[in-house]
Amino acid sequence: MDTQNQVVDRLRATFRSGVTLPVEFRISQLKQLMAMLKDNEEQIVDALHQDLAKPKFEAILAEIDILTNELHYAITNIGSWVQLEYAAKNLATKLDDCFIRREPLGVVLIIAPWNYPLQLLILPMVGAIAAGNCVVIKPSEVSQATDSLVAELIPKYLSKDCYAVVRGGAEETKALLEIRFDHIFYTGCQAVARSVVQAASVYLTPVTLELGGKCPCLIYNQENVAAAAHRLVWSKFFNAGQSCVAPDYVVCSTATRDALLPVIRQVLEKFYGTEPQKSPDLSRIVSPRHWTRLMGLLGKTSGKVVIGGESNQEDKYIAPTVVVDVAEDDALMNEEIFGPILPILTEESVEKGIELVNRKEKPLALYVFSDDSSVVKTVMGKTSSGGFCANDGIIHMALPSLPFGGVGASGWGSYHGRWGFETFSHRRACMLRGWAMERLNGLRYPPYTEEKLTWLRWTTSPKTSCSMM
Ligand code: NAD
C-alpha cells in the first residue's frame, strides 16, 4: 500500500500533467460520482444504518439526494462558472483584456466528520472536482462502515491518479496534515480545527473550516405552536440531534414555553411512538464515547427534564429529551449538545432573547419562529450567524444556491453550489496588454513632470473608467 506521501506525490504529478483542466474531464468525474451513488444506494443506506442506525428515509434525503442534487447543479452550471469574468476598465487600460480566470488550486485535502459521513465528505469534493483539483479525502474513522464503503467505491468510480481516499483517525490525520497541500477543507469540532490551522500555517496553506457551535432557535409571537413544534422537533431530532445545524437550544417567553411543551410531547409521540427506542425512525448516538458525553451533560444539568431522559448504553440510545428551567451557565449551555437533548430557556421579550444569543459565539445557524415578520426582521438585523432560517430548521442548507458555512467561531469560508467551486478555485487577475497607445503609456516614465502626473491621474481616475470589455 502506498504511504500518504506517495499518494499525494502521485496526485501532484497528475495535477501537473493538466489532466484535470478540461471541463469535460471534470464533468465525466462528477457523472461517475452520480453513478456511484445510484449503483450503490442500498449499500450506502446499509452502511449509514450500521454507523448511526440512520433511517433509510434520512439517509436518502440528507446524504444521497442532497449529493445527487449538488452533482446535478454542478454539472449543469460548471460551463458558466469557468467562463472568464471580464473586469471594468479605465482609460489607461481601455484596449487591454482584463479578466478574472478561475484556476484550480492543485492537490487539496478534505477531512470529514461522522454525523453525515457521506454527505460531508463528498459534497466538498464536488466543488473541488468541478474546480479542477486533485483531491485527497479523509473520512471519519468513527463512522466505520461508511468509511470502508467509501474507500472501496471511490477508486472503482473515479480516476485513481486524481482522487484518493486516505483512512485513519487522529494520528493518521495529523501525519497527513504535515504534508503540503494547496488547500485544506476541514469539517468537525473547534478543538481539532485549531490544530488543523496550526499545521496549515507551516506552508501557509489556505483553510476552510466548517465547524459547529450552539444554534439558537428564538420563538416569539408565534400563535401556531403546533406548526412550530412539528418543525422544531423534526429539525432537532433528525439524525438524533447529531447535526451541526440542529437547533441546539430554544429561547422563548414562559407563556410560549408552556404552550409549546404539551404540543412537543404530542408531536414526539406522533413521530416516534410511545416507545421511541422501538421506532425505526430515530437514529442512535454514534459511539459509546459520544453517548457517555451526552449522558454526562444530562447528569450535570440543573434544569428539569420534562420530556424523555430515558437511555440505554448498550443500544447507544437516548430518548428525545426536553429540559426546562435551564440557566444560561448550565452544563447544557456551555458546549454544543450534538445529540437529542433540547434545553428551553425563557426570556420574556425578543430583545432579551437576542441579548442572550449575542452573549455567545456566532453560531453556524440561527432560527426564529414567528407569525410576525417584524420579529423575524429584528432577529435577523440584530444577530449574526453562518446561516439564517425563519420558521424552519436545518433545511436552508439543502439549497445549492445558498452558501453554507459559519462565521467567527462557527467557521471560515463556505461551500455548496457555486460557493464550493469558488472555495477550491483561485481567482487569477489577468491583464493582457497590447503595444498600442504608447504615448499614453509613456506618461508614467521618468523624467516625471507635473503635467504628466495630471494626465496620468486623469486616465486612471474612476471618472474615466468604462465598462468596455
Ligand atoms: P472531529 O473534529 O472529532 O473529527 C473530524 C475529523 O477530524 C475526523 O476525520 C477525524 O478523524 C479527524 N480528527 C479527529 N481528531 C483529530 C486530531 N487530533 N487531529 C487531526 N484530525 C483529527 O469532529 P467530529 O466529532 O467528527 O464532528 C463533530 C463536530 O463537527 C461538531 O462540532 C459539529 O458541529 C461539527 N460539524 C460541523 C459541520 C459543518 O458543516 N459546519 C458539519 C458536521 C459537523
Side-chain angles (χ1 to χ4, degrees):
M1 208 170 75
D2 288 349
T3 64
Q4 292 183 348
N5 275 303
Q6 286 168 328
V7 169
V8 178
D9 286 349
R10 188 179 74 236
L11 266 53
R12 196 164 289 289
T14 310
F15 181 74
R16 289 198 177 123
S17 78
V19 166
T20 58
L21 292 183
V23 172
E24 298 71 34
F25 175 82
R26 306 181 198 181
I27 292 176
S28 75
Q29 296 299 304
L30 294 172
K31 285 188 175 165
Q32 280 296 103
L33 271 181
M34 279 251 210
M36 182 187 93
L37 297 174
K38 191 161 176 268
D39 299 348
N40 300 282
E41 184 168 302
E42 217 172 292
Q43 290 94 310
I44 293 170
V45 168
D46 185 48
L48 292 164
H49 196 269
Q50 283 180 53
D51 287 332
L52 289 139
K54 202 174 271 232
K56 178 179 176 183
F57 192 95
E58 292 187 10
I60 291 188
L61 208 64
E63 308 254 13
I64 297 174
D65 278 10
I66 197 170
L67 285 173
T68 307
N69 293 342
E70 178 81 8
L71 282 159
H72 190 265
Y73 192 81
I75 291 166
T76 310
N77 291 292
I78 188 171
S80 65
W81 296 343
V82 296
Q83 293 299 313
L84 299 182
E85 183 182 333
Y86 286 93
K89 294 184 282 190
N90 55 24
L91 193 59
T93 50
K94 194 172 175 180
L95 298 182
D96 302 328
D97 270 347
C98 303
F99 53 84
I100 301 155
R101 202 177 118 91
R102 264 81 181 170
E103 298 185 348
L105 300 171
V107 182
V108 302
L109 170 65
I110 293 170
I111 304 172
W114 48 263
N115 59 329
Y116 293 88
L118 189 74
Q119 187 220 126
L120 296 172
L121 183 70
I122 305 297
L123 212 145
M125 192 186 194
V126 174
I129 294 177
N133 298 280
C134 287
V135 190
V136 173
I137 53 175
K138 213 300 287 174
S140 173
E141 75 289 4
V142 178
S143 39
Q144 280 174 30
T146 311
D147 181 10
S148 349
L149 184 63
V150 165
E152 178 198 322
L153 294 180
I154 290 286
K156 273 194 198 161
Y157 282 85
L158 298 188
S159 156
K160 290 196 234 348
D161 292 328
C162 302
Y163 314 106
V165 184
V166 170
R167 300 176 68 186
E171 290 318 306
E172 291 79 2
T173 315
K174 280 185 207 162
L176 197 54
L177 284 164
E178 284 178 16
I179 302 173
R180 186 177 197 141
F181 285 94
D182 298 296
H183 193 93
I184 299 171
F185 187 105
Y186 171 80
T187 305
C189 67
Q190 290 164 351
V192 173
R194 287 190 184 92
S195 55
V196 170
V197 171
Q198 220 163 21
S201 72
V202 173
Y203 296 113
L204 295 178
T205 306
V207 176
T208 301
L209 298 177
E210 293 286 340
L211 311 178
K214 293 184 81 63
C215 303
C217 180
L218 293 136
I219 309 181
Y220 286 91
N221 297 15
Q222 174 67 28
E223 298 296 324
N224 190 348
V225 279
H230 276 81
R231 294 183 185 190
L232 175 66
V233 167
W234 178 78
S235 51
K236 174 69 190 184
F237 299 105
F238 194 90
N239 206 29
Q242 299 164 109
S243 305
C244 53
V245 282
D248 187 274
Y249 63 100
V250 167
V251 188
C252 61
S253 66
T254 317
T256 300
R257 180 200 64 191
D258 293 345
L260 208 52
L261 275 177
V263 196
I264 291 180
R265 201 174 274 114
Q266 281 166 18
V267 172
L268 277 169
E269 200 172 314
K270 192 161 114 185
F271 284 6
Y272 307 115
T274 47
E275 292 180 82
Q277 195 177 353
K278 292 193 179 152
S279 168
D281 298 332
L282 190 67
S283 295
R284 292 297 182 262
I285 308 307
V286 71
S287 75
R289 178 167 63 88
H290 292 82
W291 183 92
T292 306
R293 181 187 65 82
L294 285 163
M295 292 309 295
L297 288 181
L298 261 187
K300 278 187 260 173
T301 180
S302 316
K304 192 164 136 207
V305 174
V306 285
I307 298 175
E310 304 84 12
S311 61
N312 182 309
Q313 185 164 21
E314 207 179 313
D315 191 22
K316 290 176 278 170
Y317 168 75
I318 298 177
T321 297
V322 179
V323 188
V324 298
D325 298 339
V326 175
E328 208 181 318
D329 60 355
D330 190 84
L332 286 173
M333 293 303 290
N334 289 338
E335 61 183 85
E336 180 183 6
I337 295 174
F338 218 55
I341 304 167
L342 180 67
I344 301 183
L345 284 79
T346 51
E347 285 291 356
E348 296 313 315
S349 69
V350 67
E351 286 75 20
K352 289 279 176 202
I354 291 170
E355 281 172 22
L356 189 156
V357 163
N358 285 344
R359 283 194 287 273
K360 302 211 156 286
E361 295 283 4
K362 292 176 183 175
L364 183 60
L366 194 147
Y367 305 110
V368 54
F369 287 17
S370 182
D371 291 329
D372 182 347
S373 62
S374 72
V375 169
V376 172
K377 278 194 195 129
T378 303
V379 174
M380 189 161 52
K382 292 190 170 173
T383 57
S384 174
S385 59
F388 178 84
C389 181
N391 299 328
D392 217 327
I394 290 188
I395 61 168
H396 62 293
M397 57 92 58
L399 198 61
S401 49
L402 285 176
F404 180 70
V407 57
S410 56
W412 300 351
S414 59
Y415 70 127
H416 285 201
R418 174 156 200 162
W419 310 94
F421 170 84
E422 293 286 350
T423 289
F424 289 104
S425 297
H426 168 58
R427 286 178 287 282
R428 191 174 188 186
C430 300
M431 184 182 280
L432 275 47
R433 306 213 74 191
W435 296 101
M437 298 219 292
E438 194 49 22
R439 275 193 70 175
L440 195 61
N441 278 301
L443 289 172
R444 66 194 147 134
Y445 303 141
Y448 299 138
T449 65
E450 280 301 318
E451 192 191 359
K452 280 184 180 177
L453 187 61
T454 307
W455 277 106
L456 202 58
R457 290 179 100 174
W458 182 70
T459 62
T460 55
S461 95
K463 287 185 198 138
T464 60
S465 73
C466 59
S467 56
M468 206 190 112
M469 300 298 165

